[in-house]
Amino acid sequence: MAEEVKETREDFEAQLEESLNKASTNEDAVWNRLEQMKEDGDVLALTVGGVVNGGVIVYVEGIRGFIPASRLSLSYIEDLESYLLKDIEVQVIDVDQANNRLVLSARELLKEKEKKEREEKIANIKVGSVLTGTVESLQNYGAFVRLEDGLSGLVHVSQISQKRIKFPKDVLNVGDEVQVKVIGVKDGKISLSMKALEEDIQEEEEVKVEIPK
């Protein structure tokens, strides 16, 4: 009977060792896949499973991963708890099996998405369009005007008025609402003109004068 117990115990220990070895082998395989995901830049759809100091926790194939708060969004996050159980898309940026360290990031994907959205918006801006915007900053060389859809364009100092002005601040203030005409769209930059609108109005008036009553 004692021998039977011994055999059973030995069997159990052998099974346990086999199980542990198998688990270790499987874990190694997961870490190898994580390394490959990093190299390939794979996009992972994950659910935030926990919130800790400085970031959130997710799990990738059973491995605990960390997403720093600075890599969750393109802007400052007031409340990390708002991300709990939230589905997000991330990429692996650091894999360190020896230290059981897995770091992921959503920031690069968000930047790429923002860039594509901006390009699509700019593609819809047509040269010759007349738009209303708000002066958001003044530089010596011109004024930046905030347009709809979060886009901005530059009114060069030479395009502010038909009258010669030295600095934009001489005739404009931050916060002023202005009408501008799109005179160019190139390399993701929008060139605007207030002067062109003055010229358009002047031409219309000249045409009216020429037309006999």
Side-chain angles (χ1 to χ4, degrees):
M1 184 70 177
E3 189 173 346
E4 290 180 4
V5 173
K6 184 179 178 182
E7 289 177 356
T8 302
R9 186 178 297 142
E10 289 175 349
D11 290 343
F12 172 77
E13 291 175 351
Q15 290 173 7
L16 178 60
E17 184 177 357
E18 182 182 353
S19 178
L20 290 173
N21 289 336
K22 184 177 181 182
S24 177
T25 301
N26 288 340
E27 187 172 317
D28 287 343
V30 172
W31 282 101
N32 288 337
R33 286 198 296 274
L34 290 171
E35 186 64 48
Q36 192 62 50
M37 290 176 190
K38 174 188 172 184
E39 293 180 9
D40 295 342
D42 290 349
V43 176
L44 309 178
L46 304 173
T47 301
V48 175
V51 176
V52 294
N53 186 32
V56 300
I57 300 300
V58 292
Y59 288 88
V60 185
E61 296 191 30
I63 302 296
R64 184 178 187 269
F66 176 66
I67 307 175
S70 61
R71 291 187 172 275
L72 267 175
S73 172
L74 297 179
S75 57
Y76 175 73
I77 300 173
E78 187 72 31
D79 181 18
L80 280 175
E81 291 289 340
S82 64
Y83 274 80
L84 186 61
L85 301 182
K86 183 177 180 180
D87 295 329
I88 58 173
E89 289 188 338
V90 294
Q91 290 175 302
V92 178
I93 61 171
D94 187 20
V95 178
D96 184 354
Q97 183 180 1
N99 293 302
N100 200 35
R101 174 182 168 85
L102 173 63
V103 182
L104 305 100
S105 173
R107 190 172 179 83
E108 291 73 18
L109 294 173
L110 293 172
K111 276 186 177 180
E112 186 63 27
K113 182 180 179 181
E114 183 181 63
K115 180 182 176 183
K116 287 182 179 179
E117 288 177 349
R118 175 178 167 78
E119 289 174 349
E120 290 173 0
K121 290 176 182 177
I122 290 179
N124 290 325
I125 298 291
K126 305 300 180 185
V127 172
S129 300
V130 176
L131 307 171
T132 299
T134 304
V135 177
E136 62 178 352
S137 70
L138 296 171
Q139 308 296 330
N140 289 339
Y141 54 83
F144 284 95
V145 176
R146 172 69 66 175
L147 305 172
E148 59 185 19
D149 292 332
L151 297 176
S152 293
L154 173 66
V155 183
H156 190 269
V157 64
S158 64
Q159 292 294 325
I160 290 177
S161 174
Q162 287 183 307
K163 297 178 183 179
R164 183 179 177 81
I165 61 172
K166 191 171 183 181
F167 300 111
K169 65 181 181 180
D170 294 337
V171 293
L172 292 173
N173 296 297
V174 172
D176 285 351
E177 186 175 282
V178 294
Q179 274 203 318
V180 292
K181 185 174 184 177
V182 180
I183 59 174
V185 179
K186 184 179 180 181
D187 298 330
K189 297 179 180 179
I190 304 171
S191 297
L192 306 169
S193 175
M194 296 167 64
K195 175 182 173 182
L197 290 178
E198 292 179 354
E199 293 172 345
D200 289 345
I201 293 172
Q202 187 174 9
E203 287 179 8
E204 288 177 5
E205 291 176 348
E206 290 175 354
V207 169
K208 287 179 181 178
V209 171
E210 291 176 1
I211 297 176
K213 295 182 179 179

